[in-house]
Amino acid sequence: MVSVVVPAAGQGKRMHAGINKTFLTLLGTPMLVRTMQKLSACSKVDEIIVAVGEDEVEGTRKLLEHVPNIKPFAIVAGGAERQDSVANGLRAVSFEADIVLVHDAARPMVSVETIEKVIDAAKETGAAIAAVPAKNTIKVVDEDGIVESTPERASLWEVQTPQGFKKDMLMEAYQNAYAEKFLGTDDASLVERSGYPVKVVMSDYRNIKITTPEDLLTAEAFLGSDALDSAKKGLDEAKKGIDEAVSFVAEKAEEFRKKWKDGTL
């Protein structure tokens, strides 16, 4: 059984929206809803646990209850940090779950293919993360703003979500992190500290984390492009259907003409 924990309790201060950023809309649909729809489109996902602010639990439940075709879900109160929200979500995961994915609510552009690849890799290796090769040169900079080193770009990857793990492994990693008072920036860092190898799965550059107003514009541009592609495909299929109908009518007309000419009607 595969469960997905979706941390969505952050207020997104860099978005300057004044509300939970995952409630902001992308072409008219709340970001959280789009993320839930994409996770639900993956046949390998069985349940979804969403962690939101304590005062947002009931409103989020009412919002998602009206969304068609989403997987069984539960809403829990998040915590002060992302790590706390994931920990609260883990406590609500079904006993039967053997694989747990963690996916940011602010990544609604994730592909079903990426979700499936992370699940498959987590089942095979125990821990897997979605990522893409770094495009830009990265510098290590000290507290005074002076460059200390330039890591080889070929070895650098930009890590995304989903991140998938065997449930027992992730539970252990979280227990260790709290015992050591360690706060990680992602779930894989906790698993790595517990001594487990983590497999990198190739994702795609569209799987952005929406953090700033500029990211919203980028995501809407992607969605607009998808809509145009879908419309074009529909038009192409309609044209093909019309062409086939015209050809059929012309063929029948020719048969009628020949029979009329031969007097065999």
Side-chain angles (χ1 to χ4, degrees):
M1 179 178 183
V2 176
S3 300
V4 184
V5 175
V6 178
Q11 291 303 306
K13 295 178 181 178
R14 284 174 286 182
M15 189 64 75
H16 306 296
I19 61 171
N20 186 325
K21 67 180 179 182
T22 66
F23 297 146
L24 296 176
T25 61
L26 291 170
L27 299 184
T29 300
M31 191 188 311
L32 176 59
V33 171
R34 287 191 178 275
T35 299
M36 293 289 287
Q37 289 172 327
K38 193 58 70 72
L39 291 170
S40 297
C42 177
S43 62
K44 298 182 179 184
V45 169
D46 296 298
E47 68 173 3
I48 305 172
I49 314 297
V50 183
V52 296
E54 188 172 359
D55 60 343
E56 299 166 340
V57 171
E58 191 57 35
T60 303
R61 182 178 292 109
K62 290 180 179 178
L63 169 67
L64 296 180
E65 282 176 349
H66 299 289
V67 179
N69 303 319
I70 61 173
K71 295 292 177 71
F73 67 89
I75 311 297
V76 300
E81 302 289 343
R82 179 187 185 278
Q83 186 167 307
D84 301 322
S85 294
V86 175
N88 289 351
L90 283 173
R91 296 187 186 99
V93 166
S94 294
F95 176 79
E96 296 80 8
D98 55 345
I99 296 293
V100 176
L101 264 60
V102 181
H103 183 66
D104 297 324
R107 291 187 188 271
M109 304 303 298
V110 64
S111 69
V112 172
E113 179 185 3
T114 293
I115 299 168
E116 291 178 341
K117 288 195 297 185
V118 171
I119 291 171
D120 291 343
K123 287 180 176 180
E124 180 181 351
T125 67
I129 57 176
V132 290
K135 291 182 178 180
N136 300 311
T137 297
I138 307 297
K139 302 285 186 180
V140 178
V141 181
D142 68 17
E143 60 185 16
D144 296 319
I146 304 300
V147 173
E148 292 185 335
S149 63
T150 304
E152 179 61 40
R153 188 171 61 186
S155 67
L156 299 177
W157 288 68
E158 299 174 17
V159 176
Q160 306 172 343
T161 66
Q163 300 187 358
F165 312 91
K166 290 184 176 178
K167 183 175 70 173
D168 292 344
M169 181 187 297
L170 187 59
M171 293 286 197
E172 176 191 338
Y174 262 79
Q175 290 171 359
N176 292 341
Y178 279 112
E180 299 165 5
K181 294 182 171 56
F182 173 75
L183 186 64
T185 56
D186 74 343
D187 306 283
S189 63
L190 276 59
V191 171
E192 293 159 25
R193 281 176 58 88
S194 294
Y196 295 107
V198 177
K199 175 72 173 178
V200 170
V201 171
M202 175 66 80
S203 180
D204 62 76
Y205 291 97
R206 288 168 56 107
N207 186 20
I208 61 172
K209 186 175 184 181
I210 298 177
T211 305
T212 66
E214 292 77 14
D215 296 330
L216 275 174
L217 294 175
T218 300
E220 289 193 328
F222 283 144
L223 290 169
S225 176
D226 290 345
L228 285 174
D229 289 344
S230 179
K232 183 178 183 299
K233 182 180 179 181
L235 287 172
D236 289 342
E237 291 177 350
K239 182 178 182 300
K240 180 181 178 181
I242 291 171
D243 289 343
E244 289 175 351
V246 169
S247 177
F248 175 79
V249 171
E251 181 181 337
K252 293 302 179 183
E254 179 61 20
E255 289 178 4
F256 180 85
R257 188 188 68 79
K258 288 182 178 180
K259 289 180 180 180
W260 177 270
K261 183 177 179 181
D262 299 339
T264 57
L265 279 176

